[in-house]
Amino acid sequence: MELRVMGRVEILHDGVAHGIQGRTQRALLSLLVLRLRTWTPASLIVEALWPDEWSDRVATRLHVQIHRLRKQLGNGVLLSSPNGYRLDLDQHSVDAWRFEHSARTALAEDMPDHDLETLRCLEAAASQWGGEPFPDVDLPGTADWQSELHDLHTRIREKCAEFHLEFGDGSTALRLLTRLTHEHPENEHAHVLRLSALQQTGQDTELAGAFVEVHRALKELGLDPSPDLLHTQRALVRNREEEIRSNLAVVDPAGDLTPSTEDEADPTMRGSVLRRELAYILMAKGRHSEALSLLERLEVLHSGLGHENLCAILLRDMVAVMSLTGDLRRALRLLGEASRLDQRTTGTDAMLHIIRALVLAHMSRLRRAEDALSAVGEPTGPKARQVMWWRTRSQIDRRTGRHHDAVVGALTAWNLARSDAAEADVGPILLDVACSIRDDGDAACFDWYRTALRFAYEDMRFPLAASAHASMAKAQLLWGRPKTAIVHSRAGLELARSSGCWLFAGKAAARLAEAEKQMGNASAALRHRQEAKSFYRRIDFPTPFPVESVPGIGSTLTAGQVARDGSRRTRSPDRMRS
């Protein structure tokens, strides 16, 4: 037998529901459920059910109500003694107690923060919500428990939405949060999450209207927006691309303005400066062909004007685009051309050496990367150059197994980038720190990954999000969570494909193959390994792993093999979890 006090107050016998008729009967059963397996004195029941009556007939009325309820419950359920009355049922026989136990278990601090199984636990708890607790029942104590249960339900749904956002499933998160904010317009945290979901699903044009709705709802409730909501508003509504295009329509609508110098402060350079910034924004959004087209036209223009130093910088910008697409061999060729131009100027030879070292590190040509970085010397000069030097130093150390040094380098770059004087892109640095900490065997990497993913989605930087998901998948594999790794791998693969980042697509597919292998799905693992190889071939990138024979289907996978990016498992998953 089971009892329901959520949505309706009723008794279930063999799965068949029997409603409780009468307000007093529902109130009596609810009171006994509140004090489940605890003796409730008759005086307390009388005071709760008939607070304004003190006649001798009240005791008789109580006996009548107890008799009626006992008949509906069946023999041996409603017990009586000199101490009062109680239900002889365990908590799992009552829906409200079941829900509370499941919700508190799912929200417990010792549950893994980044695991698919935790999400499944949260979703299972949410599915046990049966509706309004104790409907049409007004008793001392019910209001408090109603509030607690509602709070648990809200926290469960928020947490589910956060997990879906982290896993790259913005559509599911948006459905959850739209309903939650409609039911609880005062819940600013849910509004902030919903705005992130709109951004993640590419519905940034709806952000302005969403903010208007939030502010109107809060105003009607007499509430002021919290600092978190105002920060999110400033972060999400900015659309620099449209702003630049509007400025270009005024400054240089046809692209005919000929710069007279290379000085960015020169008004005649305004169109070139804006177009270069626009190229970086397009690159960050995964629109690589548009970005390259802009940069190539600018490079031709300034080459014709003899601006060799600026041409070297534009070639370096093109290298950044090619690094995202994975075309690293072509990037090296452009760096060589930029260096030859730079030798004839007083330009940025140190930065070119650093970028060359970084590209070589990504290609696992670590000795050549060390030589290129050594040619620069110590990290001096502008803050942006120092940040890039430490990033590169960290990448080389991580790929050569010096994991502690890699963490130091990445954190140094991060601290420099956060300073006001730095003009560094913090997104990739966040990812550098996460990967370094991951390879050093520290579970703190997951918090850094979450920050990197949030940054990537809020800025609509889908290549960065693709790389973060693929790297997070590797962390999940190292911590023995292949199911969660599959979720992140698929999110990364989808984003990398849509934004044309074939190197990231190859890494995501390789992670997916390793996760499937750990799950015992050899054929799926082989398929994803072959898929990874196709992505690497597409950009003429050396295949990081061989594909060997698998018993029963003609080829096999090497045990424990992942894409060779220089990282190693420094300790076992059991040790990491301890």
Side-chain angles (χ1 to χ4, degrees):
M1 190 197 72
E2 296 182 11
L3 298 181
R4 285 181 184 161
V5 292
M6 302 178 76
R8 294 186 62 189
V9 179
E10 58 188 14
I11 303 169
L12 280 77
H13 289 290
D14 298 325
V16 179
H18 302 275
I20 302 296
Q21 301 300 318
R23 185 198 69 82
T24 303
Q25 284 282 286
R26 290 193 294 272
L28 174 59
L29 181 59
S30 298
L31 180 60
L32 294 171
V33 166
L34 275 169
R35 298 173 56 84
L36 192 65
R37 299 186 66 81
T38 300
W39 291 107
T40 304
S43 59
L44 191 151
I45 299 175
V46 168
E47 184 179 352
L49 298 182
W50 302 285
D52 299 325
E53 296 189 31
W54 302 96
S55 66
D56 295 337
R57 290 180 300 175
V58 172
T60 303
R61 294 176 66 182
L62 174 59
H63 290 313
V64 171
Q65 295 295 332
I66 290 290
H67 177 70
R68 288 177 57 191
L69 184 58
R70 184 175 281 137
K71 285 181 62 177
Q72 295 187 77
L73 292 171
N75 294 330
V77 178
L78 177 50
L79 306 181
S80 60
S81 79
N83 297 319
Y85 303 91
R86 72 175 176 86
L87 296 173
D88 189 23
L89 294 171
D90 60 38
Q91 292 183 350
H92 288 283
S93 298
V94 183
D95 59 351
W97 284 106
R98 266 199 318 271
F99 169 75
E100 181 179 25
H101 175 75
S102 297
R104 293 195 185 282
T105 299
L107 292 169
E109 291 184 0
D110 59 351
M111 291 291 287
D113 283 342
H114 318 276
D115 191 27
L116 182 63
E117 293 305 315
T118 302
L119 174 59
R120 297 291 177 254
C121 189
L122 290 164
E123 290 176 333
S127 69
Q128 293 184 32
W129 177 260
E132 180 68 25
F134 305 108
D136 302 321
V137 174
D138 184 15
L139 287 173
T142 55
D144 291 340
W145 202 20
Q146 282 175 329
S147 178
E148 287 181 27
L149 293 173
H150 275 295
D151 181 61
L152 284 171
H153 189 219
T154 298
R155 288 167 58 197
I156 285 285
R157 294 156 77 189
E158 287 179 353
K159 198 72 174 176
C160 283
E162 288 176 356
F163 268 78
H164 284 297
L165 285 172
E166 180 183 330
F167 292 157
D169 188 2
S171 298
T172 301
L174 184 59
R175 287 196 299 271
L176 287 171
L177 294 163
T178 298
R179 182 172 179 178
L180 184 58
T181 52
H182 177 73
E183 295 173 4
H184 301 283
E186 78 289 351
N187 189 331
E188 292 194 45
H189 181 57
H191 282 298
V192 169
L193 292 174
R194 181 173 180 268
L195 295 168
S196 297
L198 285 170
Q199 188 84 341
Q200 190 174 124
T201 53
Q203 302 180 55
D204 50 300
T205 56
E206 298 185 20
L207 288 172
F211 277 115
V212 171
E213 292 177 13
V214 174
H215 285 279
R216 183 187 300 119
L218 293 175
K219 185 177 181 180
E220 290 175 356
L221 294 167
L223 301 173
D224 293 324
S226 68
D228 285 344
L229 183 60
L230 294 175
H231 171 75
T232 303
Q233 180 173 5
R234 289 191 294 268
L236 295 184
V237 298
R238 66 177 182 267
N239 191 336
R240 182 62 179 153
E241 179 183 348
E242 293 303 318
E243 185 179 342
I244 290 175
R245 291 189 185 279
S246 297
N247 290 337
L248 280 171
V250 175
V251 173
D252 190 11
D256 295 333
L257 189 63
T258 302
S260 59
T261 69
E262 299 179 56
D263 185 3
E264 291 191 2
D266 190 315
T268 63
M269 273 284 292
R270 184 62 178 159
S272 291
V273 171
L274 287 172
R275 285 185 170 84
R276 186 175 168 221
E277 184 180 354
L278 178 60
Y280 261 84
I281 292 172
L282 294 172
M283 173 187 70
K285 291 184 177 182
R287 292 154 63 183
H288 303 125
S289 59
E290 294 178 63
L292 276 175
S293 178
L294 265 177
L295 293 170
E296 286 168 351
R297 289 203 302 270
L298 286 174
E299 196 270 337
V300 169
L301 168 66
H302 289 284
S303 178
L305 295 171
H307 300 161
E308 292 184 334
N309 185 57
L310 185 54
C311 286
I313 293 174
L314 288 166
L315 288 171
R316 190 183 73 196
D317 292 342
M318 284 187 256
V319 167
V321 180
M322 293 168 191
S323 296
L324 283 179
T325 62
D327 194 356
L328 302 185
R329 295 179 188 273
R330 186 182 174 197
L332 283 178
R333 290 197 293 271
L334 285 184
L335 279 172
E337 185 177 342
S339 295
R340 287 191 293 274
L341 286 172
D342 196 75
Q343 288 171 2
R344 300 199 294 266
T345 70
T346 58
T348 57
D349 54 319
M351 183 64 88
L352 287 173
H353 279 298
I354 295 170
I355 294 173
R356 174 182 291 276
L358 186 61
V359 171
L360 289 168
H362 280 293
M363 298 179 72
S364 295
R365 299 180 182 178
L366 301 178
R367 187 181 296 277
R368 290 180 60 188
E370 285 274 13
D371 293 341
L373 192 61
S374 297
V376 179
E378 295 300 314
T380 57
K383 283 284 181 65
R385 184 192 301 171
Q386 293 182 49
V387 169
M388 188 63 74
W389 190 96
W390 281 108
R391 280 195 64 204
T392 306
R393 180 71 269 164
S394 175
Q395 295 267 355
I396 295 172
D397 287 339
R398 183 162 66 85
R399 284 166 167 77
T400 51
R402 299 190 294 269
H403 300 302
H404 177 71
D405 293 341
V407 172
V408 171
L411 288 174
T412 302
W414 167 247
N415 289 326
L416 285 168
R418 288 192 302 169
S419 65
D420 293 336
E423 298 179 358
D425 183 1
V426 299
I429 302 170
L430 284 167
L431 194 51
D432 287 345
V433 176
C435 293
S436 299
I437 294 176
R438 174 200 68 196
D439 290 350
D440 199 36
D442 189 345
C445 67
F446 292 108
D447 291 330
W448 287 90
Y449 276 124
R450 294 181 73 179
T451 303
L453 282 168
R454 186 164 57 250
F455 176 89
Y457 280 119
E458 286 181 356
D459 273 21
M460 294 184 66
R461 297 180 58 173
F462 300 123
L464 179 61
S467 181
H469 276 298
S471 295
M472 172 77 104
K474 182 174 180 179
Q476 298 291 353
L477 287 170
L478 290 171
W479 264 260
R481 303 169 188 162
K483 290 182 180 179
T484 311
I486 287 174
V487 174
H488 281 289
S489 297
R490 286 175 175 164
L493 184 56
E494 182 179 350
L495 286 167
R497 280 172 172 161
S498 63
S499 55
C501 298
W502 307 118
L503 180 58
F504 299 158
K507 289 185 176 182
R511 305 289 184 258
L512 191 52
E514 177 64 16
E516 293 286 7
K517 185 170 79 71
Q518 287 191 19
M519 295 289 294
N521 302 324
S523 59
L526 176 61
R527 183 172 67 254
H528 291 304
R529 289 251 171 155
Q530 297 287 13
E531 184 180 29
K533 286 184 68 176
S534 72
F535 290 129
Y536 289 129
R537 289 195 191 102
R538 183 167 186 160
I539 53 174
D540 190 27
F541 190 82
T543 302
F545 48 76
V547 177
E548 303 170 357
S549 66
V550 171
I553 55 175
S555 55
T556 191
L557 303 174
T558 304
Q561 195 169 22
V562 295
R564 188 183 62 198
D565 58 6
S567 71
R568 301 175 185 171
R569 184 175 302 186
T570 58
R571 54 185 89 166
S572 70
D574 289 338
R575 289 184 60 195
M576 289 179 182
R577 288 193 289 268
S578 61

